Amino acid sequence: MCFLLLVLIMALEIIYMPDVEGSGEVVEYLVELGETVEEGEPLIVVESDKASMEVPAPFSCILKSWEIELEGSVETGSALAQCEVIVSELAMSDAAPVVEAQISVEPEAVAEKATTSNATPVTESIVSIDMPDAGGDGDVVEFSLQPGDHFLEGDPILLVESDKAAMEVPAPFSGTLVEYLVETGQTISEGTPLVTASVSSGIQTANDAEKSVQSTDKVKGSVSSISDTPQPSPSPSPMALLSSDSSKTDGSVYSGPASRKLARQLGVNLEDVKGTGPRGRILKEDIKAFVKSNLKTPKQEVVSVAGIPSIPEQDFSRFGGVESKNLSGMAKATAAHMSRCWLNIPHVTLFDESDITDLECYRASLSAEALGIDKKPTILPFLVLVIAKALRKYPLFNSALHPDGKQIIYKEYINIGVAVDTPAGLVVPVIKDADKKSISELSETIADLASKARDRKLTAEDMQGGCFTISSLGATGGTGFTPIINAPEVAILGVAKATMKPVWDGEIFQPRKLLPLCLSFDHRVINGGDAGRFMATVNQSLSDIRHLLL
Ligand code: CAO
């Protein structure tokens, strides 16, 4: 008769400083003696003359003692800490019932065991990955993996759409997907189990890992329980930790690579986050708390519109057949945002036509191949560049009105949002530093953002930081429309379809290609005169793009 035998082996291991350039000083212990640290979690902070870095634990263990002192110098291979590691294995036995044993052995004994069994103890566990805190509920839109797919830490697992934005949920560690525990369309919230995955965990130290490359004959246990302590992927490359992504790069933000990565994923500017870690270090928890409070605390809605009578509900089925469909999260968010913008901002729209005959001739002469890009630039990248230059000339159009109505905030950067029509609704990804990009770069950036938008792959960061929006109905048609300002921006350019028209040159009518432009502006910030001058500059640059060089 066979029984499962669970063997727990405790072994003492030394953690060494990974491969880094030069030496550094230990500035902080991040773990207490006796505390359990998971693989990949930071142990200490080391500062070199280039940057500071967190040194992660190469395996899960219990910290027994420090081998280095605070303010002591460390370099590649320095012993950092002594830890106790636990190896659990399930073995088949025909001699005994299920027994739980705990055996303490010295490192030599483990080494001997590994040698005699000619194997590195590695176990595979099935773990579940839960929905992280995204500041609210969301609907599962798309699965990013298939069962059996191997994924790395940070790879997207699935796409979730909340009423704010669509976001990819990244894997918190590397592993192999076993199955999805949710269905598309299902509403999920923080803590909802999303998938089960198989992960390898073991006691491989940096040195063992090298050995195990030679020894492919690994002992694989068959633990098959859902554990709540997922084993992260191998530690991040130490060289990566010394990159510019390390903490304290600008002298004002103090946080580690893991926190920075999370901040990037959530589109959080670390300068806005208050660190609660030692010496004000920004922890992952601080970033999550920041996102939560930002989403929960309504922004100062000083200008509120009260007393607007709602549109009464009607029973349309009295007049014929009807079908109700739920709006997607994105469509609901757009509807709410549009209403807020329309109700809060006194809009004025200025209409004009730009002569783009010469620009179109020039555009026709361009070849995507010669420019080294996939697709020939459309009119849009030219418009983005023209607007970017006009924003530099007229900073009022690149500003925001403080919600208290007492201050105008002028932005030094020029980021232009471009409205993209997708099957799921309208989204506005943002071209960062548009004024510093060439036509080819703008063309590629727009194509890239538009395709991400249509594949629902835009991140929160892709949609943040806009200063001005261009909404181009392009070739679709229309002679003009009144675009709604994308608050807190103060102006938006609507672009309708360019057509050939006869233009009187003083002597005869000339056939010219005219592009209808519709500039909506916030009349609390911008006056008609400002708008007229802005539009004249735009017209001038579009009719003769040599003006962009001036
Ligand atoms: N007049 C005439 N032709 C135009 C034009 C215009 N105003 N704008 C674009 N075109 C042409 C392009 O030049 C291109 O033709 P060529 O290949 O011969 O150059 C063709 O129309 C198709 O362009 P496009 O739409 O694929 O590319 P784009 O760069 O002009 O726009 C994007 C990209 C993503 C902005 C666009 O596809 C889109 O989604 N627009 C919709 C935005 C929207 O819905 N706004 C309304 C908001 S209010 O609800």
Side-chain angles (χ1 to χ4, degrees), residues 336-376:
H337 183 59
M338 288 294 110
S339 307
R340 209 166 25 240
C341 295
W342 181 249
L343 291 172
N344 280 286
I345 303 174
H347 282 66
V348 177
T349 305
L350 175 69
F351 297 93
D352 208 340
E353 286 178 319
S354 279
D355 187 334
I356 57 165
T357 319
D358 295 342
L359 170 61
E360 283 297 80
C361 280
Y362 174 63
R363 207 169 63 81
S365 73
L366 298 175
S367 106
E369 208 175 28
L371 291 171
I373 55 179
D374 291 341
K375 204 176 153 258
K376 201 160 126 168

mmCIF file of all heavy atoms in Angstrom, residues 336-376:
data_model
loop_
_atom_site.group_PDB
_atom_site.id
_atom_site.type_symbol
_atom_site.label_atom_id
_atom_site.label_comp_id
_atom_site.label_asym_id
_atom_site.label_seq_id
_atom_site.Cartn_x
_atom_site.Cartn_y
_atom_site.Cartn_z
ATOM 1 N N ALA A 336 -19.910 59.653 -18.722
ATOM 2 C CA ALA A 336 -19.853 60.482 -17.512
ATOM 3 C C ALA A 336 -18.889 61.641 -17.710
ATOM 4 O O ALA A 336 -19.169 62.787 -17.342
ATOM 5 C CB ALA A 336 -19.414 59.626 -16.322
ATOM 6 N N HIS A 337 -17.733 61.340 -18.340
ATOM 7 C CA HIS A 337 -16.718 62.380 -18.535
ATOM 8 C C HIS A 337 -17.236 63.460 -19.478
ATOM 9 O O HIS A 337 -17.074 64.660 -19.220
ATOM 10 C CB HIS A 337 -15.449 61.725 -19.081
ATOM 11 C CG HIS A 337 -14.307 62.683 -19.258
ATOM 12 N ND1 HIS A 337 -13.787 63.417 -18.218
ATOM 13 C CD2 HIS A 337 -13.599 63.042 -20.363
ATOM 14 C CE1 HIS A 337 -12.811 64.183 -18.663
ATOM 15 N NE2 HIS A 337 -12.679 63.976 -19.970
ATOM 16 N N MET A 338 -17.880 63.048 -20.574
ATOM 17 C CA MET A 338 -18.397 64.018 -21.539
ATOM 18 C C MET A 338 -19.438 64.927 -20.883
ATOM 19 O O MET A 338 -19.429 66.147 -21.072
ATOM 20 C CB MET A 338 -19.029 63.295 -22.742
ATOM 21 C CG MET A 338 -18.034 62.638 -23.664
ATOM 22 S SD MET A 338 -16.985 63.847 -24.489
ATOM 23 C CE MET A 338 -15.425 63.589 -23.730
ATOM 24 N N SER A 339 -20.329 64.324 -20.079
ATOM 25 C CA SER A 339 -21.362 65.142 -19.420
ATOM 26 C C SER A 339 -20.710 66.147 -18.483
ATOM 27 O O SER A 339 -21.090 67.326 -18.435
ATOM 28 C CB SER A 339 -22.308 64.266 -18.587
ATOM 29 O OG SER A 339 -22.817 63.251 -19.371
ATOM 30 N N ARG A 340 -19.701 65.665 -17.735
ATOM 31 C CA ARG A 340 -19.023 66.545 -16.771
ATOM 32 C C ARG A 340 -18.366 67.715 -17.513
ATOM 33 O O ARG A 340 -18.481 68.865 -17.102
ATOM 34 C CB ARG A 340 -17.969 65.707 -16.043
ATOM 35 C CG ARG A 340 -17.697 66.181 -14.643
ATOM 36 C CD ARG A 340 -16.923 65.211 -13.785
ATOM 37 N NE ARG A 340 -16.087 64.284 -14.487
ATOM 38 C CZ ARG A 340 -16.219 62.958 -14.407
ATOM 39 N NH1 ARG A 340 -17.149 62.437 -13.655
ATOM 40 N NH2 ARG A 340 -15.398 62.165 -15.059
ATOM 41 N N CYS A 341 -17.690 67.399 -18.621
ATOM 42 C CA CYS A 341 -16.975 68.441 -19.366
ATOM 43 C C CYS A 341 -17.962 69.439 -19.971
ATOM 44 O O CYS A 341 -17.774 70.648 -19.892
ATOM 45 C CB CYS A 341 -16.141 67.817 -20.484
ATOM 46 S SG CYS A 341 -14.812 66.772 -19.885
ATOM 47 N N TRP A 342 -19.031 68.896 -20.555
ATOM 48 C CA TRP A 342 -20.006 69.747 -21.232
ATOM 49 C C TRP A 342 -20.713 70.659 -20.247
ATOM 50 O O TRP A 342 -20.964 71.836 -20.509
ATOM 51 C CB TRP A 342 -21.002 68.862 -21.981
ATOM 52 C CG TRP A 342 -22.039 69.630 -22.738
ATOM 53 C CD1 TRP A 342 -23.370 69.701 -22.456
ATOM 54 C CD2 TRP A 342 -21.823 70.439 -23.891
ATOM 55 N NE1 TRP A 342 -23.997 70.508 -23.368
ATOM 56 C CE2 TRP A 342 -23.068 70.982 -24.271
ATOM 57 C CE3 TRP A 342 -20.696 70.777 -24.644
ATOM 58 C CZ2 TRP A 342 -23.217 71.829 -25.358
ATOM 59 C CZ3 TRP A 342 -20.861 71.613 -25.732
ATOM 60 C CH2 TRP A 342 -22.106 72.132 -26.084
ATOM 61 N N LEU A 343 -21.026 70.106 -19.067
ATOM 62 C CA LEU A 343 -21.787 70.886 -18.092
ATOM 63 C C LEU A 343 -20.927 71.907 -17.343
ATOM 64 O O LEU A 343 -21.423 72.928 -16.896
ATOM 65 C CB LEU A 343 -22.446 69.953 -17.074
ATOM 66 C CG LEU A 343 -23.576 69.093 -17.640
ATOM 67 C CD1 LEU A 343 -24.024 68.075 -16.617
ATOM 68 C CD2 LEU A 343 -24.745 69.974 -18.061
ATOM 69 N N ASN A 344 -19.645 71.610 -17.212
ATOM 70 C CA ASN A 344 -18.797 72.497 -16.410
ATOM 71 C C ASN A 344 -18.098 73.589 -17.204
ATOM 72 O O ASN A 344 -17.705 74.595 -16.630
ATOM 73 C CB ASN A 344 -17.731 71.678 -15.677
ATOM 74 C CG ASN A 344 -18.282 71.021 -14.432
ATOM 75 O OD1 ASN A 344 -18.512 71.699 -13.425
ATOM 76 N ND2 ASN A 344 -18.526 69.730 -14.494
ATOM 77 N N ILE A 345 -17.914 73.344 -18.491
ATOM 78 C CA ILE A 345 -17.097 74.289 -19.262
ATOM 79 C C ILE A 345 -17.960 75.105 -20.227
ATOM 80 O O ILE A 345 -18.689 74.534 -21.039
ATOM 81 C CB ILE A 345 -16.019 73.540 -20.077
ATOM 82 C CG1 ILE A 345 -15.142 72.708 -19.140
ATOM 83 C CG2 ILE A 345 -15.173 74.502 -20.888
ATOM 84 C CD1 ILE A 345 -14.146 71.826 -19.860
ATOM 85 N N PRO A 346 -17.858 76.422 -20.150
ATOM 86 C CA PRO A 346 -18.534 77.238 -21.163
ATOM 87 C C PRO A 346 -17.776 77.132 -22.483
ATOM 88 O O PRO A 346 -16.688 77.689 -22.632
ATOM 89 C CB PRO A 346 -18.493 78.653 -20.584
ATOM 90 C CG PRO A 346 -17.471 78.628 -19.511
ATOM 91 C CD PRO A 346 -17.153 77.224 -19.142
ATOM 92 N N HIS A 347 -18.329 76.337 -23.411
ATOM 93 C CA HIS A 347 -17.658 76.084 -24.687
ATOM 94 C C HIS A 347 -17.954 77.173 -25.726
ATOM 95 O O HIS A 347 -19.089 77.634 -25.817
ATOM 96 C CB HIS A 347 -18.177 74.777 -25.299
ATOM 97 C CG HIS A 347 -17.635 73.532 -24.707
ATOM 98 N ND1 HIS A 347 -17.884 73.130 -23.415
ATOM 99 C CD2 HIS A 347 -16.849 72.562 -25.242
ATOM 100 C CE1 HIS A 347 -17.290 71.973 -23.194
ATOM 101 N NE2 HIS A 347 -16.654 71.609 -24.286
ATOM 102 N N VAL A 348 -16.946 77.505 -26.501
ATOM 103 C CA VAL A 348 -17.162 78.284 -27.727
ATOM 104 C C VAL A 348 -16.399 77.540 -28.816
ATOM 105 O O VAL A 348 -15.296 77.050 -28.567
ATOM 106 C CB VAL A 348 -16.592 79.715 -27.607
ATOM 107 C CG1 VAL A 348 -16.776 80.474 -28.916
ATOM 108 C CG2 VAL A 348 -17.272 80.468 -26.475
ATOM 109 N N THR A 349 -16.982 77.416 -30.001
ATOM 110 C CA THR A 349 -16.265 76.725 -31.075
ATOM 111 C C THR A 349 -16.030 77.677 -32.240
ATOM 112 O O THR A 349 -16.958 78.334 -32.718
ATOM 113 C CB THR A 349 -17.066 75.494 -31.558
ATOM 114 O OG1 THR A 349 -17.326 74.668 -30.434
ATOM 115 C CG2 THR A 349 -16.273 74.691 -32.582
ATOM 116 N N LEU A 350 -14.772 77.746 -32.645
ATOM 117 C CA LEU A 350 -14.384 78.586 -33.780
ATOM 118 C C LEU A 350 -14.147 77.673 -34.987
ATOM 119 O O LEU A 350 -13.422 76.678 -34.886
ATOM 120 C CB LEU A 350 -13.089 79.324 -33.425
ATOM 121 C CG LEU A 350 -12.451 80.152 -34.525
ATOM 122 C CD1 LEU A 350 -13.313 81.370 -34.858
ATOM 123 C CD2 LEU A 350 -11.063 80.621 -34.099
ATOM 124 N N PHE A 351 -14.788 78.004 -36.109
ATOM 125 C CA PHE A 351 -14.642 77.180 -37.320
ATOM 126 C C PHE A 351 -13.745 77.895 -38.332
ATOM 127 O O PHE A 351 -13.795 79.120 -38.441
ATOM 128 C CB PHE A 351 -16.012 76.948 -37.978
ATOM 129 C CG PHE A 351 -16.951 76.166 -37.088
ATOM 130 C CD1 PHE A 351 -17.831 76.811 -36.240
ATOM 131 C CD2 PHE A 351 -16.935 74.776 -37.100
ATOM 132 C CE1 PHE A 351 -18.682 76.102 -35.422
ATOM 133 C CE2 PHE A 351 -17.786 74.055 -36.283
ATOM 134 C CZ PHE A 351 -18.662 74.710 -35.434
ATOM 135 N N ASP A 352 -12.955 77.101 -39.026
ATOM 136 C CA ASP A 352 -12.110 77.685 -40.075
ATOM 137 C C ASP A 352 -11.757 76.593 -41.079
ATOM 138 O O ASP A 352 -12.061 75.408 -40.863
ATOM 139 C CB ASP A 352 -10.827 78.274 -39.460
ATOM 140 C CG ASP A 352 -10.283 79.432 -40.292
ATOM 141 O OD1 ASP A 352 -10.649 79.533 -41.479
ATOM 142 O OD2 ASP A 352 -9.492 80.228 -39.748
ATOM 143 N N GLU A 353 -11.122 77.007 -42.181
ATOM 144 C CA GLU A 353 -10.660 76.031 -43.170
ATOM 145 C C GLU A 353 -9.197 76.329 -43.476
ATOM 146 O O GLU A 353 -8.847 77.487 -43.716
ATOM 147 C CB GLU A 353 -11.478 76.154 -44.462
ATOM 148 C CG GLU A 353 -12.881 75.605 -44.337
ATOM 149 C CD GLU A 353 -13.666 75.784 -45.632
ATOM 150 O OE1 GLU A 353 -13.541 76.849 -46.257
ATOM 151 O OE2 GLU A 353 -14.396 74.851 -45.999
ATOM 152 N N SER A 354 -8.387 75.295 -43.434
ATOM 153 C CA SER A 354 -6.962 75.475 -43.750
ATOM 154 C C SER A 354 -6.699 74.980 -45.160
ATOM 155 O O SER A 354 -7.169 73.889 -45.535
ATOM 156 C CB SER A 354 -6.098 74.651 -42.796
ATOM 157 O OG SER A 354 -5.931 75.315 -41.594
ATOM 158 N N ASP A 355 -5.912 75.737 -45.891
ATOM 159 C CA ASP A 355 -5.553 75.326 -47.259
ATOM 160 C C ASP A 355 -4.387 74.332 -47.154
ATOM 161 O O ASP A 355 -3.255 74.713 -46.818
ATOM 162 C CB ASP A 355 -5.144 76.578 -48.049
ATOM 163 C CG ASP A 355 -4.929 76.254 -49.522
ATOM 164 O OD1 ASP A 355 -4.613 75.094 -49.838
ATOM 165 O OD2 ASP A 355 -5.074 77.176 -50.335
ATOM 166 N N ILE A 356 -4.676 73.052 -47.416
ATOM 167 C CA ILE A 356 -3.620 72.035 -47.273
ATOM 168 C C ILE A 356 -3.187 71.494 -48.647
ATOM 169 O O ILE A 356 -2.625 70.408 -48.733
ATOM 170 C CB ILE A 356 -4.057 70.880 -46.337
ATOM 171 C CG1 ILE A 356 -5.354 70.204 -46.845
ATOM 172 C CG2 ILE A 356 -4.227 71.349 -44.917
ATOM 173 C CD1 ILE A 356 -5.627 68.852 -46.190
ATOM 174 N N THR A 357 -3.451 72.290 -49.714
ATOM 175 C CA THR A 357 -3.115 71.819 -51.069
ATOM 176 C C THR A 357 -1.626 71.461 -51.161
ATOM 177 O O THR A 357 -1.265 70.376 -51.621
ATOM 178 C CB THR A 357 -3.456 72.913 -52.102
ATOM 179 O OG1 THR A 357 -4.699 73.512 -51.736
ATOM 180 C CG2 THR A 357 -3.554 72.333 -53.496
ATOM 181 N N ASP A 358 -0.778 72.387 -50.723
ATOM 182 C CA ASP A 358 0.673 72.141 -50.843
ATOM 183 C C ASP A 358 1.120 71.017 -49.910
ATOM 184 O O ASP A 358 1.961 70.199 -50.276
ATOM 185 C CB ASP A 358 1.455 73.435 -50.531
ATOM 186 C CG ASP A 358 1.158 74.513 -51.567
ATOM 187 O OD1 ASP A 358 0.659 74.157 -52.667
ATOM 188 O OD2 ASP A 358 1.392 75.701 -51.278
ATOM 189 N N LEU A 359 0.525 71.004 -48.732
ATOM 190 C CA LEU A 359 0.868 69.933 -47.776
ATOM 191 C C LEU A 359 0.517 68.567 -48.376
ATOM 192 O O LEU A 359 1.301 67.615 -48.272
ATOM 193 C CB LEU A 359 0.118 70.152 -46.448
ATOM 194 C CG LEU A 359 0.180 69.013 -45.436
ATOM 195 C CD1 LEU A 359 1.609 68.730 -45.008
ATOM 196 C CD2 LEU A 359 -0.661 69.329 -44.198
ATOM 197 N N GLU A 360 -0.632 68.499 -49.046
ATOM 198 C CA GLU A 360 -1.041 67.236 -49.652
ATOM 199 C C GLU A 360 -0.108 66.823 -50.787
ATOM 200 O O GLU A 360 0.183 65.642 -50.962
ATOM 201 C CB GLU A 360 -2.493 67.332 -50.154
ATOM 202 C CG GLU A 360 -3.521 67.239 -49.032
ATOM 203 C CD GLU A 360 -3.469 65.899 -48.309
ATOM 204 O OE1 GLU A 360 -2.580 65.724 -47.435
ATOM 205 O OE2 GLU A 360 -4.299 65.023 -48.597
ATOM 206 N N CYS A 361 0.378 67.836 -51.538
ATOM 207 C CA CYS A 361 1.350 67.535 -52.609
ATOM 208 C C CYS A 361 2.625 66.972 -51.985
ATOM 209 O O CYS A 361 3.185 65.971 -52.447
ATOM 210 C CB CYS A 361 1.730 68.805 -53.366
ATOM 211 S SG CYS A 361 0.503 69.259 -54.548
ATOM 212 N N TYR A 362 3.066 67.643 -50.936
ATOM 213 C CA TYR A 362 4.294 67.193 -50.264
ATOM 214 C C TYR A 362 4.094 65.791 -49.689
ATOM 215 O O TYR A 362 4.944 64.905 -49.845
ATOM 216 C CB TYR A 362 4.647 68.186 -49.147
ATOM 217 C CG TYR A 362 5.817 67.744 -48.301
ATOM 218 C CD1 TYR A 362 7.087 67.577 -48.854
ATOM 219 C CD2 TYR A 362 5.643 67.470 -46.941
ATOM 220 C CE1 TYR A 362 8.153 67.159 -48.074
ATOM 221 C CE2 TYR A 362 6.705 67.049 -46.163
ATOM 222 C CZ TYR A 362 7.961 66.886 -46.733
ATOM 223 O OH TYR A 362 9.010 66.460 -45.971
ATOM 224 N N ARG A 363 2.934 65.568 -49.076
ATOM 225 C CA ARG A 363 2.646 64.264 -48.463
ATOM 226 C C ARG A 363 2.640 63.166 -49.531
ATOM 227 O O ARG A 363 3.155 62.067 -49.307
ATOM 228 C CB ARG A 363 1.283 64.341 -47.746
ATOM 229 C CG ARG A 363 1.130 63.389 -46.587
ATOM 230 C CD ARG A 363 -0.106 63.715 -45.786
ATOM 231 N NE ARG A 363 -1.339 63.565 -46.526
ATOM 232 C CZ ARG A 363 -1.971 62.429 -46.736
ATOM 233 N NH1 ARG A 363 -1.493 61.315 -46.218
ATOM 234 N NH2 ARG A 363 -3.089 62.382 -47.426
ATOM 235 N N ALA A 364 2.082 63.520 -50.706
ATOM 236 C CA ALA A 364 2.028 62.531 -51.796
ATOM 237 C C ALA A 364 3.435 62.155 -52.264
ATOM 238 O O ALA A 364 3.661 61.047 -52.749
ATOM 239 C CB ALA A 364 1.209 63.093 -52.950
ATOM 240 N N SER A 365 4.370 63.096 -52.083
ATOM 241 C CA SER A 365 5.734 62.824 -52.560
ATOM 242 C C SER A 365 6.519 61.951 -51.578
ATOM 243 O O SER A 365 7.601 61.472 -51.892
ATOM 244 C CB SER A 365 6.488 64.147 -52.747
ATOM 245 O OG SER A 365 6.820 64.694 -51.474
ATOM 246 N N LEU A 366 5.965 61.766 -50.366
ATOM 247 C CA LEU A 366 6.694 60.982 -49.353
ATOM 248 C C LEU A 366 6.502 59.492 -49.601
ATOM 249 O O LEU A 366 5.469 59.062 -50.108
ATOM 250 C CB LEU A 366 6.181 61.320 -47.940
ATOM 251 C CG LEU A 366 6.355 62.755 -47.463
ATOM 252 C CD1 LEU A 366 5.689 62.947 -46.109
ATOM 253 C CD2 LEU A 366 7.841 63.108 -47.376
ATOM 254 N N SER A 367 7.512 58.724 -49.221
ATOM 255 C CA SER A 367 7.331 57.270 -49.295
ATOM 256 C C SER A 367 7.677 56.676 -47.942
ATOM 257 O O SER A 367 8.671 57.065 -47.295
ATOM 258 C CB SER A 367 8.198 56.686 -50.404
ATOM 259 O OG SER A 367 9.300 56.000 -49.883
ATOM 260 N N ALA A 368 6.819 55.771 -47.505
ATOM 261 C CA ALA A 368 7.020 55.141 -46.182
ATOM 262 C C ALA A 368 8.383 54.465 -46.146
ATOM 263 O O ALA A 368 9.102 54.534 -45.142
ATOM 264 C CB ALA A 368 5.904 54.130 -45.927
ATOM 265 N N GLU A 369 8.752 53.834 -47.248
ATOM 266 C CA GLU A 369 10.020 53.108 -47.316
ATOM 267 C C GLU A 369 11.197 54.059 -47.069
ATOM 268 O O GLU A 369 12.079 53.784 -46.257
ATOM 269 C CB GLU A 369 10.144 52.472 -48.695
ATOM 270 C CG GLU A 369 10.990 51.219 -48.697
ATOM 271 C CD GLU A 369 10.972 50.566 -50.063
ATOM 272 O OE1 GLU A 369 10.794 51.275 -51.070
ATOM 273 O OE2 GLU A 369 11.139 49.345 -50.094
ATOM 274 N N ALA A 370 11.152 55.206 -47.786
ATOM 275 C CA ALA A 370 12.244 56.167 -47.642
ATOM 276 C C ALA A 370 12.309 56.715 -46.216
ATOM 277 O O ALA A 370 13.388 57.011 -45.701
ATOM 278 C CB ALA A 370 12.065 57.305 -48.641
ATOM 279 N N LEU A 371 11.147 56.833 -45.575
ATOM 280 C CA LEU A 371 11.118 57.349 -44.200
ATOM 281 C C LEU A 371 11.458 56.267 -43.189
ATOM 282 O O LEU A 371 11.620 56.541 -41.996
ATOM 283 C CB LEU A 371 9.728 57.928 -43.876
ATOM 284 C CG LEU A 371 9.322 59.212 -44.609
ATOM 285 C CD1 LEU A 371 7.861 59.541 -44.359
ATOM 286 C CD2 LEU A 371 10.198 60.373 -44.151
ATOM 287 N N GLY A 372 11.510 55.022 -43.655
ATOM 288 C CA GLY A 372 11.848 53.909 -42.750
ATOM 289 C C GLY A 372 10.712 53.572 -41.813
ATOM 290 O O GLY A 372 10.939 53.130 -40.685
ATOM 291 N N ILE A 373 9.463 53.820 -42.239
ATOM 292 C CA ILE A 373 8.310 53.479 -41.394
ATOM 293 C C ILE A 373 7.359 52.586 -42.179
ATOM 294 O O ILE A 373 7.491 52.445 -43.395
ATOM 295 C CB ILE A 373 7.574 54.742 -40.855
ATOM 296 C CG1 ILE A 373 7.166 55.666 -42.003
ATOM 297 C CG2 ILE A 373 8.437 55.483 -39.872
ATOM 298 C CD1 ILE A 373 6.418 56.916 -41.561
ATOM 299 N N ASP A 374 6.398 51.988 -41.454
ATOM 300 C CA ASP A 374 5.531 50.992 -42.084
ATOM 301 C C ASP A 374 4.516 51.610 -43.040
ATOM 302 O O ASP A 374 4.198 51.038 -44.072
ATOM 303 C CB ASP A 374 4.752 50.210 -41.010
ATOM 304 C CG ASP A 374 5.701 49.335 -40.218
ATOM 305 O OD1 ASP A 374 6.805 49.086 -40.743
ATOM 306 O OD2 ASP A 374 5.356 48.940 -39.092
ATOM 307 N N LYS A 375 3.977 52.789 -42.631
ATOM 308 C CA LYS A 375 2.882 53.361 -43.409
ATOM 309 C C LYS A 375 3.153 54.843 -43.642
ATOM 310 O O LYS A 375 3.689 55.520 -42.754
ATOM 311 C CB LYS A 375 1.584 53.178 -42.602
ATOM 312 C CG LYS A 375 0.347 53.185 -43.430
ATOM 313 C CD LYS A 375 -0.887 52.908 -42.565
ATOM 314 C CE LYS A 375 -2.105 53.531 -43.187
ATOM 315 N NZ LYS A 375 -2.564 54.752 -42.609
ATOM 316 N N LYS A 376 2.804 55.292 -44.819
ATOM 317 C CA LYS A 376 2.997 56.708 -45.157
ATOM 318 C C LYS A 376 2.230 57.598 -44.168
ATOM 319 O O LYS A 376 1.101 57.246 -43.802
ATOM 320 C CB LYS A 376 2.423 56.910 -46.558
ATOM 321 C CG LYS A 376 2.931 58.095 -47.276
ATOM 322 C CD LYS A 376 2.684 57.872 -48.740
ATOM 323 C CE LYS A 376 1.915 59.012 -49.327
ATOM 324 N NZ LYS A 376 1.916 58.958 -50.780
#
